[in-house]
Amino acid sequence: MNEIALAVQNVAVAYGEKPVVTDVNMEFPAHQITALIGASGSGKSTLLRSLNRMNDEIATVTGQINFHGVDINRPETNVYRVRQQIGMVFQQPTPFPMSIYENVIYGLRLRGEKDRTLLDHRVETSLKQAALWEEVKDRLQTSVQALSGGQQQRLCIARTLATQPEIILMDEPTSALDPISTNQIEATLAQLKEQFTIIIVTHNMQQASRISDWTAYFEQGKLVEFKPTDQLFMNPSEQRTADYLSGKFG
Ligand SMILES: Nc1ncnc2c1ncn2[C@@H]1O[C@H](COP(=O)(O)OP(=O)(O)OP(=O)(O)O)[C@@H](O)[C@H]1O
């Protein structure tokens, strides 16, 4: 068993009076890819966004989310720092209207980083990790508008990597992309787990079975089953998981 990157204890999330995630307990293994699957509305994205305080303004989160033994929901937590250590990539690519170079170092600029050598190095490393370097290395100062959707998403991954997080949260990062771009990103993720812990929400069960080491199945805001991916797909313990995997609902 790997070291634990993030431990979720008795977590519940509500939008106003409406509970949408209830009593979730799970531990995310470090340097592994964990997929969150389940029918639309089962609370996967809500839980994911709670893992780096992205829900602060819109939802009430109770329970503990322990990162290095400290609950990220404590009032004294530095939320900016948590989001740097636990980064997020969204469903739609969200490049900013600036150059490729400036997009990658956006988080570092916010932190006030001015060391040109460090910035150059971080741009190159992050773009290489996101498997985009070869395609853009000769046009780093050009606008992102000319990039394809798949390239833009890899750029957003590079932007997240540039601040050197420990954990990367991904909310259906390939659902807006064509199959070739999806393959490229899946190959990238396999490399990234050497260095990072990845937690990914996906609607695509083939994708979950292809890329993840662990899979958690959610139903109506509850964690039904959490196992190594091959075991969950081949030999689910719960009938509800088996029904979902066989397409009986969802
Ligand atoms: N900002 C919000 N305000 C109020 N209710 C919300 C909000 N976001 C999501 N919900 C509701 O919370 C429930 C869980 O939604 P969530 O997006 O977490 O599920 P999901 O499993 O990720 O679904 P999908 O796969 O469709 O994205 C749904 O009933 C949804 O309508």
Side-chain angles (χ1 to χ4, degrees), residues 124-171:
E124 181 170 344
T125 313
S126 308
L127 287 170
K128 280 182 174 164
Q129 286 175 320
L132 187 58
W133 175 249
E134 289 303 323
E135 291 158 62
V136 300
K137 64 183 178 188
D138 299 325
R139 48 173 170 148
L140 295 175
Q141 299 305 335
T142 61
S143 157
V144 293
Q145 306 306 333
L147 299 180
S148 70
Q151 288 173 323
Q152 289 186 1
Q153 191 63 311
R154 280 179 283 147
L155 179 71
C156 293
I157 292 172
R159 189 172 63 201
T160 299
L161 300 180
T163 56
Q164 300 189 317
E166 289 180 38
I167 302 176
I168 307 169
L169 310 176
M170 298 185 148
D171 197 351

Side-chain angles (χ1 to χ4, degrees), residues 15 18 20 38-47 49 58 171-172 201 203:
Y15 294 108
K18 183 180 165 197
V20 296
S40 188
S42 58
K44 310 175 297 289
S45 299
T46 298
L47 177 67
R49 288 198 303 267
I58 50 172
D171 197 351
E172 299 188 51
V201 167
H203 261 125

Side-chain angles (χ1 to χ4, degrees), residues 70-118:
V70 177
D71 181 13
I72 66 166
N73 285 322
R74 291 187 319 165
E76 60 270 37
T77 298
N78 178 338
V79 177
Y80 174 77
R81 181 145 171 72
V82 164
R83 292 190 190 141
Q84 179 245 307
Q85 293 171 312
I86 308 176
M88 173 86 90
V89 175
F90 298 94
Q91 183 173 8
Q92 293 289 339
T94 51
F96 303 136
M98 46 182 76
S99 69
I100 293 171
Y101 187 98
E102 288 298 327
N103 262 277
V104 177
I105 59 164
Y106 186 80
L108 296 169
R109 285 251 190 259
L110 280 184
R111 236 194 265 172
E113 185 58 63
K114 293 197 172 66
D115 180 342
R116 196 77 206 178
T117 312
L118 184 148

